[in-house]
């Protein structure tokens, strides 16, 4: 999810900030799933509340390594919905 990660010329990591929220945080997988304020509503709908209420890298990694099919399906539904929101926001900004 890092904006500019595969663009040519490559954007340096310090400038790959989230274009959806105004926090100037690096847009990586952790920020996208646990932190970004644009996805609060769908985060509550799909993800376990402990993951986003008290986010930590440890919880995030454990969540991604889960074998629980229900959690994984909900995570994929969150990602699909969040990407739709992200694309809408980015299209408006262009």
């Amino acid at each position: 999810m890092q904006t500019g990660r595969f663009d040519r010329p490559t954007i340096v990591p310090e400038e790959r900030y989230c274009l959806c929220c105004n926090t100037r945080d690096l847009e990586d997988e952790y920020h996208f799933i646990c932190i970004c304020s644009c996805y609060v509503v769908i985060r509550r709908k799909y993800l376990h509340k402990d993951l986003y209420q008290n986010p930590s890298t440890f919880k995030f990694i454990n969540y991604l390594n889960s074998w629980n099919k229900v959690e994984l399906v909900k995570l994929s539904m969150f990602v699909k919905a969040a990407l739709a929101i992200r694309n809408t926001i980015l299209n408006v900004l262009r």
Side-chain angles (χ1 to χ4, degrees):
M1 296 306 312
Q2 297 176 355
T3 305
R5 185 177 186 182
F6 300 106
D7 290 347
R8 300 285 185 239
T10 304
I11 298 172
V12 292
E14 298 80 34
E15 296 177 7
R16 296 182 195 150
Y17 57 89
C18 181
L19 300 173
C20 298
C21 63
N22 294 324
T23 59
R24 303 265 311 164
D25 284 343
L26 181 68
E27 185 181 41
D28 58 3
E29 293 83 1
Y30 178 73
H31 175 80
F32 182 78
I33 294 173
C34 299
I35 306 295
C36 189
S37 60
C38 294
Y39 315 121
V40 171
V41 174
I42 61 171
R43 194 174 288 126
R44 287 181 186 148
K45 181 177 180 179
Y46 294 115
L47 302 181
H48 192 275
K49 105 168 95 169
D50 192 42
L51 181 66
Y52 61 83
Q53 281 186 343
N54 301 308
S56 73
T57 309
F58 178 74
K59 291 177 194 176
F60 175 69
I61 291 170
N62 281 340
Y63 196 77
L64 293 182
N65 287 328
S66 174
W67 285 89
N68 184 328
K69 289 184 182 184
V70 173
E71 284 183 358
L72 294 175
V73 168
K74 287 184 177 184
L75 177 62
S76 64
M77 291 167 53
F78 167 81
V79 170
K80 182 179 178 180
L83 285 175
I85 293 170
R86 182 180 186 275
N87 289 336
T88 302
I89 292 170
L90 294 182
N91 286 334
V92 169
L93 293 176
R94 290 181 187 173

